[in-house]
Amino acid sequence: MTDDTAARAAREDGAVPRHNLLSGPQPDVARAAGYADAPPRMGFFTDTSVCIGCKACEVACKEWNAVPEDGLELTGMSYDNTQGLGADTWRHVAFIEQRKPFGGQEPGVGHEDVDVFSAASALGTGPGSPGPGATAPPPGAAPAGAPAGEISPVSPDGRTELRWLMASDVCKHCTHAACLDVCPTGSLFRTEYGTVVVQEDICNGCGYCVPACPYGVIDQRRDDGRVWKCTLCYDRLGVGMEPACAKSCPTESIQFGPLDELRDRAAARVARLRAAGVTDARLYGEDPQDGVGGDGAFFLLLDEPEVYGLPPDPVVTTRDLPAMWRHAAAAAVSLAALAAAGFVRRPR
Amino acid sequence: MTGSDVPRDGVEGARPGRDALTGAHTGRRRRRGRGERAMVPDAEFSSYYGKPILNKPTWKALDIAGYLYLGGLAGASSLLGAGAHVTGRPALARTAKIGAAGAISLSLVALVHDLGRPARFVNMLRVFKPTSPMSVGSWLLVGYAPLTLAAAATDVAGRYRLVGAAATASAAVLGPAVATYTAVLICDTAVPSWHEGYREMPFVFAGSGATAAAGLALACVPAGQTGPARRLAVLGAALELGSFQLMKRRTGLAAEPLEQGRPHALLRAAEALTVGGTALGAYAGGRNRVAAAVAGAALLAGSAALRFGIFHAGVASAEDPRYTVVPQRERLAARRSPGA
């Protein structure tokens, strides 16, 4: 990727901005935060197209990080009983029930006319046939069963069909993290891996980071007043282990690794899905040019971000901070002027 | 959800009780009566079961809205106190100085109460971060609060006049910053109704602080010395109401929570109290002691109602995903439109 080569070149030249910018691209976030010799930036790529909604990530996160239980509720929101990210939910699996057909992610992928046994017996016999063990066609080639514009099959009882989208949400570990910028105590800090972590012994419970987060991730724990969120298993990273959620994910929907590598992997996966006819597939949060400077945890989604409860175009709140201070200074001067005017003796 | 998911005749033909709102039919409208005109067209968007995208502020309304109000009252009172000190209005000076010291002390109490325990305030002073308005504000308060206390104490004691004059002057220099930084404090968040108003909010807060300080002076000072307070009330009310109207007009959809429910009631009350208090104070405040007291109380209450209204409107805008999603979708659409 061109951004990464530029970043690497800049790192060698020493031209990477060393000070922490409020917004815009920042290729080497750990170095900008003061780590002279930082390891590569680590992150998550969550491929929701293979998520099976098993919630192993939720459980593994709670187990490893000793996160307290947050109540068991039957919400009526499909199989989602955790509802959203918060102080005691650092991984959250969303379940979206949609009246869209099964099969592929587009209409017209019924397989009623396919005899799977005869198809299987032909495996590996022709040049166009995938070899044993192949699960997806090579990128660029749409398979024969791909959408052909037919009307999707409807069940005999007249029900429209339903599809489930499942997605494991997590803290985005933004390049420009609003929570970190607004924290008045320095409790939130940037790690050498480029992630954002709360130091729980310093957090004083002011709660400022909570409304500052454009993703609604970090939240205050009610009984102790301090804020908590995903640490990207900072303690595991330090000894070369992967985060608990990624470790426990049975389908590798949650992938952990150096962010550069994950971005390449994600781009290849989107290309492959699109070639297979899943035109809704898209990456979310991977672009270093976006409002938060790119996320350390990004996603492959099969629908619009807001369907999953994600903001479509988040912007780091501190982007406008210089303008805010200017306006506040102008207002302060106005107030002083008003008060002075109050004391000016009126002409008789 | 009422009743069972599975009727007696099985699930055939039954739709799930709750679907994720993924269609285009989910734009909610909560129109109020009395023929109020919609400010923006109906918005269509999807959401995850209507759940909010942002986590709403966890601040207690009384603590933090009170903190915003008391900061404005204290900052503007310091200006009134200094002016009165210089122009020889001792009663006005004393009231304003004591008002500033009392208000800022109470605001610190409110802040500490919101934090949970006093020792937590000390963590605010570990670092100085210009990117955190709360850090800037904490340092501002640490400098400003002792100055107001010194100014008030020397005035009451009638001793150390030079120290008192210096403290009064220094407090007057920091006062306007104390009154307006709180606007940056709430605007530097992702809360739509606060963030979108960041240009006008400091002026609204400055005007509101001025009316509050003028109100305190009108209520407590003999009529002969309240001339500057009455003029400050008129000027402050003009600044507050003018910039508030501008803010509502410019921020579009994000201004909608200001027009609905409890915030709407509070903000209408704030307008009525501020306009009424200013008019009464300007007309009769110079002669009639009772009228001045009523006008002052109205101005104090109006300023408080404004802060609480803005606070609750922000919380409401964070609770409804509409105010987060719709403007962002429009922004995306504008970027993707031809020419971009």
Side-chain angles (χ1 to χ4, degrees):
Chain A
M1 288 174 87
T2 51
D3 285 333
D4 299 326
T5 35
R8 250 170 253 138
R11 203 180 302 168
E12 279 148 24
D13 296 350
V16 174
R18 280 174 173 275
H19 61 291
N20 201 6
L21 302 169
L22 289 175
S23 61
Q26 187 156 37
D28 196 343
V29 65
R31 191 147 134 157
Y35 295 96
D37 199 17
R41 183 175 179 188
M42 304 304 259
F44 284 129
F45 164 46
T46 307
D47 179 353
T48 70
S49 69
V50 294
C51 178
I52 55 170
C54 68
K55 306 190 200 187
C57 51
E58 283 190 18
V59 176
C61 174
K62 275 202 187 267
E63 286 285 330
W64 179 264
N65 294 298
V67 178
E69 64 94 26
D70 45 1
L72 274 175
E73 270 185 82
L74 297 175
T75 59
M77 290 159 44
S78 191
Y79 286 94
D80 184 356
N81 54 4
T82 38
Q83 305 188 47
L85 294 176
D88 297 332
T89 310
W90 298 357
R91 266 276 177 193
H92 162 243
V93 180
F95 289 78
I96 298 125
E97 295 182 16
Q98 289 186 322
R99 282 176 297 283
K100 283 192 180 179
F102 304 110
Q105 305 300 342
E106 286 291 300
V109 201
H111 298 290
E112 291 81 2
D113 52 342
V114 178
D115 181 349
V116 289
F117 294 107
S118 67
S121 66
L123 265 183
T125 54
S129 164
T135 54
E150 304 159 31
I151 296 166
S152 68
V154 174
S155 308
D157 61 0
R159 273 196 299 168
T160 52
E161 297 202 53
L162 184 94
R163 77 165 176 175
W164 259 321
L165 300 180
M166 297 149 196
S168 181
D169 195 11
V170 70
C171 171
K172 315 299 180 293
H173 295 278
C174 311
T175 300
H176 300 290
C179 58
L180 191 157
D181 282 343
V182 305
C183 176
T185 64
S187 165
L188 278 148
F189 74 106
R190 179 80 60 183
T191 73
E192 64 271 37
Y193 304 103
T195 58
V196 179
V197 173
V198 189
Q199 300 177 81
E200 59 220 51
D201 52 338
I202 290 170
C203 174
N204 70 347
C206 74
Y208 199 10
C209 49
V210 176
C213 173
Y215 292 104
V217 171
I218 197 164
D219 208 356
Q220 206 169 33
R221 192 172 285 167
R222 210 163 284 165
D223 57 353
D224 80 353
R226 292 177 295 172
V227 295
W228 305 81
K229 72 168 191 71
C230 163
T231 65
L232 217 138
C233 284
Y234 188 38
D235 49 349
R236 292 173 66 93
L237 262 56
V239 292
M241 300 204 294
E242 65 178 325
C245 54
K247 184 82 185 168
S248 71
C249 182
T251 63
E252 294 190 347
S253 169
I254 300 172
Q255 302 177 26
F256 165 78
L259 205 52
D260 295 349
E261 192 189 313
L262 290 178
R263 283 176 180 155
D264 292 346
R265 223 187 280 172
R269 175 68 184 156
V270 167
R272 175 172 278 206
L273 281 173
R274 290 230 170 120
V278 187
T279 52
D280 275 348
R282 75 204 63 194
L283 292 181
Y284 174 81
E286 96 295 356
D287 183 5
Q289 308 286 332
D290 70 12
V292 296
D295 291 328
F298 61 99
F299 300 82
L300 189 157
L301 303 180
L302 299 176
D303 206 334
E304 300 289 338
E306 59 268 28
V307 169
Y308 296 86
L310 295 164
D313 183 31
V315 171
V316 59
T317 49
T318 38
R319 186 188 65 179
D320 302 318
L321 190 62
M324 288 180 199
W325 282 128
R326 278 199 297 277
H327 282 90
V333 171
S334 313
L335 178 57
L338 292 195
F343 284 97
V344 172
R345 193 178 287 271
R346 273 180 297 189
R348 287 168 195 280
Chain B
M1 197 164 62
T2 54
S4 165
D5 268 354
V6 186
R8 198 175 286 274
D9 53 343
V11 291
E12 310 298 300
R15 278 177 49 180
R18 285 179 76 183
D19 294 335
L21 308 175
T22 52
H25 59 283
T26 54
R28 272 187 282 164
R29 295 299 301 177
R30 285 161 305 175
R31 227 182 283 257
R32 287 176 57 85
R34 286 185 294 158
E36 191 172 290
R37 199 163 51 84
M39 299 183 65
V40 285
D42 279 7
E44 291 184 347
F45 77 109
S46 317
S47 77
Y48 184 65
Y49 298 101
K51 299 284 285 178
I53 284 185
L54 304 174
N55 284 334
K56 67 174 180 182
T58 52
W59 295 326
K60 296 182 232 22
L62 188 61
D63 288 342
I64 297 303
Y67 174 79
L68 303 176
Y69 165 63
L70 291 166
L73 174 59
S77 286
S78 281
L79 285 170
L80 259 188
H85 186 102
V86 171
T87 57
R89 293 178 170 91
L92 178 61
R94 176 163 298 180
T95 299
K97 287 179 197 178
I98 294 175
I104 207 65
S105 307
L106 271 179
S107 87
L108 281 171
V109 169
L111 178 60
V112 166
H113 183 252
D114 197 65
L115 293 180
R117 55 171 178 266
R120 283 185 169 172
F121 182 77
V122 178
N123 280 9
M124 292 280 193
L125 308 177
R126 282 182 76 243
V127 289
F128 176 76
K129 279 170 77 174
T131 61
S132 170
M134 197 178 276
S135 171
V136 174
S138 300
W139 285 104
L140 201 54
L141 289 188
V142 165
Y144 172 76
L147 290 174
T148 60
L149 290 170
T154 51
D155 194 298
V156 171
R159 300 172 66 189
Y160 309 111
R161 284 171 193 282
L162 215 57
V163 174
T168 304
S170 316
V173 170
L174 290 180
V178 172
T180 57
Y181 99 85
T182 47
V184 183
L185 177 75
I186 64 165
C187 292
D188 190 24
T189 59
V191 174
S193 291
W194 293 344
H195 186 90
E196 294 307 314
Y198 74 84
R199 291 178 185 84
E200 293 85 4
M201 197 77 84
F203 293 95
V204 176
F205 277 25
S208 171
T211 54
L216 182 69
L218 268 172
C220 304
V221 176
Q225 296 186 19
T226 55
R230 277 178 278 136
R231 267 164 274 161
L232 183 62
V234 174
L235 295 170
L239 180 66
E240 172 194 321
L241 298 174
S243 44
F244 193 55
Q245 288 306 321
L246 196 65
M247 183 171 98
K248 282 199 284 191
R249 193 139 14 107
R250 201 187 52 75
T251 50
L253 183 66
E256 206 182 75
L258 298 164
E259 305 284 348
Q260 291 169 338
R262 184 161 55 156
H264 178 74
L266 281 165
L267 292 167
R268 287 300 289 270
E271 265 171 23
L273 286 165
T274 303
V275 170
T278 306
L280 182 63
Y283 178 69
R287 289 158 285 158
N288 187 332
R289 194 67 199 84
V290 177
V294 170
L299 287 173
L300 281 168
S303 178
L306 179 91
R307 308 308 172 105
F308 279 85
I310 289 175
F311 182 86
H312 287 300
V315 174
S317 76
E319 278 175 331
D320 193 335
R322 201 164 106 81
Y323 302 111
T324 308
V325 172
V326 173
Q328 293 191 12
R329 284 216 68 85
E330 283 168 1
R331 198 159 66 201
L332 270 182
R335 218 182 299 150
R336 284 175 188 159
S337 67

